[in-house]
Amino acid sequence: MDSGIFIRVHRSYIVNRNMVTGLKGRDLSLGSIQIPVSDSYYELVKRELF
């Protein structure tokens, strides 16, 4: 289900899915920037991005 270019990954963070470079544990990588992924969005992030 493609809901657009942005995806919410945490209550405090919405990211551009085209900028995502990886997922390690509960942190999403955007180049050298690490963004936390909350428990409630983790499965959605894995399904939508990988």
Side-chain angles (χ1 to χ4, degrees):
M1 176 178 179
D2 184 22
S3 58
I5 195 167
F6 295 100
I7 184 170
R8 180 172 295 279
V9 299
H10 189 277
R11 189 177 90 184
S12 300
Y13 296 98
I14 297 174
V15 299
N16 181 330
R17 65 176 64 230
N18 296 328
M19 300 300 290
V20 173
T21 57
L23 178 66
K24 184 174 183 182
R26 297 271 186 202
D27 290 329
L28 201 59
S29 299
L30 284 76
S32 62
I33 300 169
Q34 301 293 311
I35 303 291
V37 177
S38 68
D39 292 341
S40 57
Y41 289 103
Y42 184 71
E43 291 301 320
L44 173 69
V45 168
K46 282 192 338 184
R47 187 173 56 247
E48 292 281 325
L49 297 177
F50 302 102

